[in-house]
């Protein structure tokens, strides 16, 4: 089993920044590929960004590319999402996800890729 706990959400004005964290625990957590998804009120859960174990390769949704940055600290078994220039449409619950299968095999944008999910952290962007 892999347990994921998100933190760092909160209320921020448009144009501001937040840094989300996802702490992983369990067996062989340093070898998992990880991602962030978000789900706004009445919306589907959408892909935000992903980071692989191999060479720490990254993927970003078009709407956040250039403003969000994903990274990981393998020594701390933690993945981060730095969110800059936040817009009101970014308001959502942000979820961390992990998979033991490399993204070279399954697409990181598909939520069905991930068997492990955190409980989510709320991000609210005011205009």
């Amino acid at each position: 089993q892999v347990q994921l706990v998100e933190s760092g959400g909160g209320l921020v004005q448009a144009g501001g920044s937040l840094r989300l964290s996802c702490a992983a625990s369990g067996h062989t957590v340093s070898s998992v590929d990880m991602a962030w998804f978000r789900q706004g009120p009445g919306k589907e859960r959408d892909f935000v960004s992903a980071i692989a174990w191999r060479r720490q390769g990254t993927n970003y949704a078009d709407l956040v590319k250039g403003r969000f940055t994903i990274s990981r600290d393998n020594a701390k078994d933690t993945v981060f999402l730095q969110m800059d220039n936040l817009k009101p449409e970014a308001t959502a619950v942000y979820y961390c996800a992990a998979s033991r299968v490399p993204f070279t095999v399954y697409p990181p944008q598909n939520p069905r890729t991930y068997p492990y999910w955190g409980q989510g952290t709320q991000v609210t962007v005011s205009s």
Side-chain angles (χ1 to χ4, degrees):
Q1 297 288 332
V2 175
Q3 289 77 45
L4 305 172
V5 180
E6 303 96 335
S7 62
L11 175 65
V12 65
Q13 294 189 63
S17 299
L18 283 174
R19 187 187 188 222
L20 306 183
S21 298
C22 175
S25 61
H27 295 288
T28 64
V29 293
S30 62
S31 64
V32 298
D33 290 354
M34 302 180 70
W36 289 96
F37 287 75
R38 66 186 182 188
Q39 186 170 17
K43 299 180 180 179
E44 298 291 325
R45 187 170 298 187
D46 295 325
F47 172 77
V48 176
S49 184
I51 185 166
W53 165 253
R54 186 175 183 178
R55 296 186 178 181
Q56 297 189 359
T58 58
N59 291 273
Y60 295 93
D62 290 341
L63 287 174
V64 306
K65 191 173 184 178
R67 299 185 296 110
F68 289 14
T69 303
I70 191 170
S71 62
R72 66 190 298 166
D73 185 341
N74 290 338
K76 297 181 178 180
D77 296 326
T78 303
V79 66
F80 305 95
L81 184 67
Q82 177 67 42
M83 305 185 295
D84 297 320
N85 191 22
L86 283 164
K87 301 178 180 180
E89 55 261 37
T91 295
V93 177
Y94 284 70
Y95 296 92
C96 179
S99 174
R100 295 187 184 276
V101 180
F103 294 150
T104 53
V105 178
Y106 296 110
Q109 301 87 352
N110 192 337
R112 290 190 291 272
T113 294
Y114 307 93
Y116 309 108
W117 293 84
Q119 295 299 307
T121 184
Q122 177 70 48
V123 171
T124 302
V125 184
S126 62
S127 60

